Amino acid sequence: MLAPVPRPPGSLAVRCSRALLAPRARLSLLALLLLTAAALVVLYEPQRLLSSGWPRQSEGTGAVMLFGLAYGVCTAAFVPRPVLNLAAGALFGSAFGLTAAIAGTVLGAGISFTLGRFLGQDALRPMLRGRWLTAADGQLSRHGFRSMLAIRLFPGVPFAAANYCAAVSRMGYVPFLVATALGSVPNTAAYVVAGAQAGEPGSPAFLASAGFIALSMAAAAVVAWRKRHHLRASAAAVAAEPEPEPAVVGGPR
């Protein structure tokens, strides 16, 4: 009788590692992380800690860097950025508050983008089959910097949603982060100044920042309305494209 062929050592570990690294397993891990982060935000409300519970004796560059780090982690965990921007202005003033807020914005966007790219992209890209999803993915993939810059300049798309949508597309890291840094400055500065001048709601700086926030929201609504028609046209163009004919294997000889 033939002796049984012994299995190579470590085959179980190899199978387990392949199962854990499968696209669906990584997507499940991403969903678990996001649900956990959302639950922690609801339970502990870290935005209140950064505003009212921040140590008042913390000053200087170290405090600004620590706040920016906490800001980035909180935005990746779905804490609303406007609240954090107001807190940055109230704690550090306009200049240092804006520095901490922009640094935290880029850090939080990078964390979300990395999680979405490595844990969700492989599993989610095959699901982009609808006309709208295909058109939006094509816009982000072909015009990444321009599209992300417009999203950051005109608020309307939730920060975390934009990060994960960009991660699923084929947008590169550098265009994503640079567009986030540049496009987030105007609205972030408006909220930071409003937070810094919250004690004087009748001051010109506070009124100007509040007016800019209102105008940016109105502009975002107009841009979203126009973009909807553009995506609709792109989706119609994608639907009108003829499907490629299957290649004929073999043929007359």
Side-chain angles (χ1 to χ4, degrees):
M1 295 179 62
L2 296 176
V5 178
R7 293 184 178 181
S11 58
L12 179 60
V14 172
R15 290 198 299 271
C16 290
S17 62
R18 288 178 179 175
L20 292 175
L21 294 176
R24 291 184 180 273
R26 285 182 286 157
L27 181 61
S28 300
L29 177 59
L30 176 62
L32 178 61
L33 289 175
L34 297 182
L35 288 175
T36 303
L40 291 176
V41 168
V42 173
L43 290 175
Y44 295 103
E45 297 183 356
Q47 65 272 21
R48 295 179 59 185
L49 175 64
L50 291 184
S51 56
S52 60
W54 186 262
R56 297 296 176 179
Q57 66 274 15
S58 299
E59 298 178 355
T61 306
V64 174
M65 294 177 62
L66 181 61
F67 184 90
L69 177 62
Y71 184 115
V73 174
C74 287
T75 53
F78 307 109
V79 175
R81 287 183 61 246
V83 177
L84 299 177
N85 293 332
L86 292 172
L91 292 172
F92 302 106
S94 299
F96 288 106
L98 179 60
T99 301
I102 292 299
T105 297
V106 176
L107 175 61
I111 293 174
S112 302
F113 189 88
T114 301
L115 290 175
R117 176 60 55 91
F118 286 99
L119 296 180
Q121 187 188 47
D122 292 339
L124 292 176
R125 281 203 66 81
M127 302 179 186
L128 300 178
R129 298 175 180 175
R131 292 184 299 172
W132 286 86
L133 292 177
T134 303
D137 174 67
Q139 181 72 18
L140 289 174
S141 298
R142 292 192 299 269
H143 311 288
F145 178 82
R146 184 175 65 188
S147 300
M148 187 53 56
L149 186 65
I151 290 173
R152 301 306 191 195
L153 283 173
F154 301 102
V157 180
F159 183 73
N163 296 335
Y164 289 108
C165 289
V168 174
S169 73
R170 301 189 185 280
M171 184 186 304
Y173 265 94
V174 174
F176 172 77
L177 293 177
V178 174
T180 296
L182 295 178
S184 300
V185 170
N187 285 283
T188 302
Y191 279 99
V192 170
V193 172
Q197 301 294 325
E200 301 178 4
S203 64
F206 182 87
L207 294 177
S209 60
F212 182 85
I213 292 171
L215 287 176
S216 65
M217 289 182 177
V222 174
V223 171
W225 181 77
R226 296 187 61 182
K227 203 65 177 178
R228 182 191 64 175
H229 292 280
H230 177 72
L231 285 177
R232 180 178 297 176
S234 300
V238 171
E241 290 182 358
E243 296 183 359
E245 297 182 359
V248 179
V249 179
R253 297 183 179 178

